[in-house]
Amino acid sequence: MSELISSLTRIHVLDPRLANQIAAGEVVERPSSVTKELIENAIDAGSQRIEVEIEQGGARLIKVRDDGIGIGEQDLPLALARHATSKINSLEDLEGVSSLGFRGEALASISSVSRLELISNAEEDPRQGWRVVAEGRGMEARVTPAPHPRGTSVAVRDLFFNTPARRKFLRTEKTEFAHVEEAFRRQALSRYDVAWVLRHNQKVVHQLPPGVTPAARERRIASLLGKNFIEHARYIEREAGGLRISGWVGLPTHSRSQADQQYFFVNGRVVRDRLVAHAVRQAYRDVLYNGRHPVFVLYLELDPDVVDVNVHPTKHEVRFRDGRMVHDFLYSSLHHCLASSKPAEEEQSTPHEHEGERGGEVVDAVAKGNAGDADAQAPAPRWQQQGMALSDPPDRHPGAERVRRFMQGYQALHPDHEASLLTPQPSAPSINTSKATEVREAPLAMPAHDATTAPPLGFALGQLHGVYILSQNAQGLVLVDMHAAHERIVYERMKNQLAAANGIDTQPLLVPVSLAASRAEVATAESERDAIVQLGVELDVAGPETLLVRQLPALLAQADPEALIRQMLEELSRFGRTHQVEARIHELLSTMACHGSVRANRRLTIDEMNALLRDMERTERSDQCNHGRPTWTQMSMKALDRLFLRGQ
């Protein structure tokens, strides 16, 4: 027995095939991972056309053919050897690697678990091609002549034929091909200058011509991800601090139930990075419906020296030298792009352009009628929602198209001068806000001229069951959820007012809250002290595993300090940035805006409806309410004609 144990515990060198099969456990997971490695080699070879042929989901055949620079006869034996590569020569090359492959182990690992054949030609003469295969337990390379045009073909047959345990874990042909197609899709989105072909069981699935113009790139995305993606996406391009982001960001209304259309490329390499995912999630936080996932195709370009791609066996993850800067750049870029999500494509005229005409006069929306007199005599009631009607002074121009009135800040959430438009709610809780002077102009009803001169959301026609506003614009009929739309308008103004304030109002705690923390959390609290103070939180270290919360933002005085602090420290530790305080404050403002916005079954006048439409055109993110639901939809004349079979 002791002799058996002794023989098993002695150190020895593994034979090459077994070593490669162990390495294949990391590199070769399924046919899609083989396809990815072979395509990356073809891209690194400078190919302009790449053809991928699959049989039986990749279990029987995976063949990748390219027209790249090819491999010479003298280098072919090394092509299937471990740790043999032409892409790096030194540590400096590794630290700034720009090629997709660089380890030199993919082909060796694949050949150890399949029947691999590589044919290549580095000359223009097709007769100069050579074929190489690895045979035997020692994986010796055997090179023979084989005619082939300039470029390389790699055929991988019978994947996992010699490792039955791995082969039995393969799924159905349909499932495996779906993974292969996804790997193909990612690579095709990374290089628009390359022509691509994908075949499955001798049938063409994708045939993508090259094209680098914006129109050609959009056609490729539409072919791979569907026309709906392009129709509901915005193009983004921004550059700052040595970073450049470009690509397409899906509108919040075009979200999905799973994160299956999220493509992020770093210097042409597709990655799935936690830091990137967090930045994207935070950018969509205010506009995405709960449980939904955004869609995007984004390209980040930066100096290869400041990003480490050698941190994951399959190179799906990267590490940025300055992760905080990358996170902030991505978040701010996407945040500003999504903020432009509103009905108006161009900036509408604002009240400030015409304030001089009024001479700073304060316009009282409801200064006439018996209702105002009655309100003046009665005690000031508490209000549950904000009034929206604005008077129509007889001296205004009767044909004006632009409505230039809207509230300023969330201090005007319940202005007294709009009292006659509300139903008093004596028992409702009030929000203590300061009064604000409003400089406005009165909106007008829809003018009686052609609708082609109408603003993006047109002019109101009426209400439907006190819930929806019907409006006519140049395209046809617009339906607006008035509560959802007004909720977003009030919410955005409250956020802007808070951002305009000098810092965050804080409130010291009468009794500091003691938290039991891990040593890692304590270390984060000490190293990120300045960032925590800027968020209005005072956090002291009371011991090796104890933290004291002495101060919180005033708006979060009733929040659970322990949950807030732990989430803050976790984000600071993982991403170098936290949005927990901002998210909690915005959640509170969202609740206030929801209770302060116009309610369903509230009858509005035409002028009130037009005022709401104009405010939507000016307000950022007004395409969605605070909870991510759409606020309006368009029915074109063509759609209406089809509905009633007109012209058929």
Side-chain angles (χ1 to χ4, degrees), residues 1-35:
M1 185 68 177
S2 60
E3 295 178 357
L4 176 61
I5 296 176
S6 176
S7 62
L8 290 176
T9 56
R10 294 188 62 183
I11 299 175
H12 61 283
V13 177
L14 299 175
D15 67 75
R17 180 173 290 276
L18 180 58
N20 287 337
Q21 288 176 342
I22 294 174
E26 294 182 342
V27 178
V28 184
E29 179 184 1
R30 61 198 324 162
S32 60
S33 55
V34 174
T35 306

Side-chain angles (χ1 to χ4, degrees), residues 320-332:
F320 300 101
R321 181 177 298 176
D322 191 344
R324 179 174 299 187
M325 181 181 70
V326 174
H327 181 282
D328 291 349
F329 174 72
L330 293 176
Y331 169 75
S332 62

Side-chain angles (χ1 to χ4, degrees), residues 154-394:
V154 182
V156 177
R157 293 181 171 85
D158 302 325
L159 185 63
F160 301 138
F161 79 98
N162 55 354
T163 53
R166 298 286 303 277
R167 189 175 182 87
K168 71 179 182 180
F169 281 99
L170 292 179
R171 302 300 180 183
T172 63
E173 177 179 335
K174 181 180 179 181
T175 300
E176 293 299 338
F177 179 71
H179 287 282
V180 170
E181 186 180 15
E182 178 63 18
F184 174 88
R185 185 180 292 113
R186 291 173 181 170
Q187 301 299 334
L189 289 173
S190 71
R191 292 291 298 271
Y192 294 91
D193 58 329
V194 176
W196 298 83
V197 178
L198 174 64
R199 299 185 185 91
H200 186 218
N201 295 334
Q202 287 80 49
K203 294 182 180 179
V204 176
V205 179
H206 292 290
Q207 188 162 358
L208 308 173
V212 294
T213 64
R217 297 173 72 182
E218 290 187 358
R219 283 195 297 270
R220 175 170 293 188
I221 292 178
S223 176
L224 293 171
L225 303 181
K227 293 182 179 179
N228 278 341
F229 184 97
I230 287 296
E231 292 174 354
H232 298 87
R234 293 180 179 271
Y235 184 76
I236 179 176
E237 187 171 2
R238 191 181 182 194
E239 187 171 358
L243 304 175
R244 183 179 183 273
I245 187 74
S246 62
W248 290 264
V249 179
L251 295 175
T253 49
H254 184 64
S255 58
R256 296 178 67 86
S257 59
Q258 54 187 350
D260 59 343
Q261 287 194 0
Q262 298 182 354
Y263 301 92
F264 193 86
F265 301 85
V266 177
N267 291 340
R269 182 191 306 277
V270 61
V271 300
R272 295 191 299 265
D273 189 81
R274 289 184 301 174
L275 182 142
V276 171
H278 183 265
V280 173
R281 188 166 59 249
Q282 292 301 313
Y284 274 91
R285 184 187 62 214
D286 252 2
V287 292
L288 200 62
Y289 191 69
N290 186 35
R292 303 292 292 180
H293 298 272
V295 298
F296 55 82
V297 178
L298 293 172
Y299 303 87
L300 177 66
E301 299 174 25
L302 71 168
D303 186 350
D305 290 333
V306 300
V307 57
D308 185 2
V309 300
N310 190 29
V311 296
H312 191 273
T314 59
K315 302 185 285 290
H316 279 152
E317 297 180 6
V318 296
R319 182 182 294 118
F320 300 101
R321 181 177 298 176
D322 191 344
R324 179 174 299 187
M325 181 181 70
V326 174
H327 181 282
D328 291 349
F329 174 72
L330 293 176
Y331 169 75
S332 62
S333 300
L334 298 179
H335 183 76
H336 285 95
C337 179
L338 295 172
S340 63
S341 175
K342 53 186 177 180
E345 291 296 329
E346 298 179 358
E347 188 70 20
Q348 303 293 318
S349 62
T350 63
H352 306 290
E353 297 176 10
H354 302 278
E355 285 179 0
E357 299 175 10
R358 309 282 302 182
E361 176 187 357
V362 177
V363 180
D364 189 339
V366 189
K368 304 185 180 92
N370 295 332
D373 296 336
D375 290 339
Q377 298 171 4
R382 295 180 177 180
W383 310 114
Q384 234 180 357
Q385 65 185 42
Q386 177 179 347
M388 301 211 39
L390 302 173
S391 63
D392 186 1

Side-chain angles (χ1 to χ4, degrees), residues 456-500:
L457 289 179
F459 292 99
L461 301 172
Q463 270 183 291
L464 180 64
H465 290 291
V467 177
Y468 300 103
I469 294 175
L470 307 181
S471 176
Q472 174 183 330
N473 67 355
Q475 288 74 39
L477 179 67
V478 176
L479 287 87
V480 177
D481 183 336
M482 64 182 192
H483 171 73
H486 194 218
E487 184 180 0
R488 169 60 71 176
I489 292 169
V490 174
Y491 178 45
E492 289 299 324
R493 287 173 185 158
M494 295 171 76
K495 290 198 302 181
N496 292 338
Q497 183 67 27
L498 182 65

Side-chain angles (χ1 to χ4, degrees), residues 588-645:
L588 178 61
L589 297 184
S590 175
T591 301
M592 295 167 63
C594 183
H595 289 292
S597 57
V598 62
R599 295 292 182 179
N601 299 319
R602 163 78 185 283
R603 296 295 176 183
L604 303 181
T605 67
I606 292 294
D607 289 341
E608 289 179 297
M609 299 178 206
N610 281 324
L612 178 61
L613 298 178
R614 300 295 82 76
D615 278 348
M616 289 178 64
E617 293 163 355
R618 298 185 183 99
T619 303
E620 294 180 342
R621 308 175 186 88
S622 62
D623 286 346
Q624 298 83 34
C625 75
N626 308 349
H627 314 292
R629 295 189 295 267
T631 58
W632 68 283
T633 188
Q634 172 84 57
M635 294 188 68
S636 66
M637 290 302 297
K638 290 184 178 180
L640 292 170
D641 289 342
R642 286 196 302 268
L643 185 63
F644 292 98
L645 304 179

Side-chain angles (χ1 to χ4, degrees), residues 449-571:
H449 50 71
D450 187 51
T452 57
T453 62
L457 289 179
F459 292 99
L461 301 172
Q463 270 183 291
L464 180 64
H465 290 291
V467 177
Y468 300 103
I469 294 175
L470 307 181
S471 176
Q472 174 183 330
N473 67 355
Q475 288 74 39
L477 179 67
V478 176
L479 287 87
V480 177
D481 183 336
M482 64 182 192
H483 171 73
H486 194 218
E487 184 180 0
R488 169 60 71 176
I489 292 169
V490 174
Y491 178 45
E492 289 299 324
R493 287 173 185 158
M494 295 171 76
K495 290 198 302 181
N496 292 338
Q497 183 67 27
L498 182 65
N502 295 325
I504 299 177
D505 291 336
T506 59
Q507 178 176 318
L509 302 182
L510 293 177
V511 179
V513 178
S514 177
L515 301 179
S518 66
R519 292 183 179 272
E521 290 175 329
V522 172
T524 301
E526 290 181 323
S527 62
E528 301 289 346
R529 182 180 299 274
D530 293 341
I532 294 173
V533 170
Q534 291 177 1
L535 297 173
V537 178
E538 184 177 342
L539 192 62
D540 291 340
V541 177
E545 297 182 352
T546 305
L547 295 173
L548 284 181
V549 185
R550 299 186 181 276
Q551 178 178 278
L552 289 175
L555 286 173
L556 301 180
Q558 304 301 320
D560 179 6
E562 181 174 356
L564 175 64
I565 297 302
R566 292 195 188 281
Q567 290 175 355
M568 285 176 53
L569 294 177
E570 180 184 2
E571 287 193 345

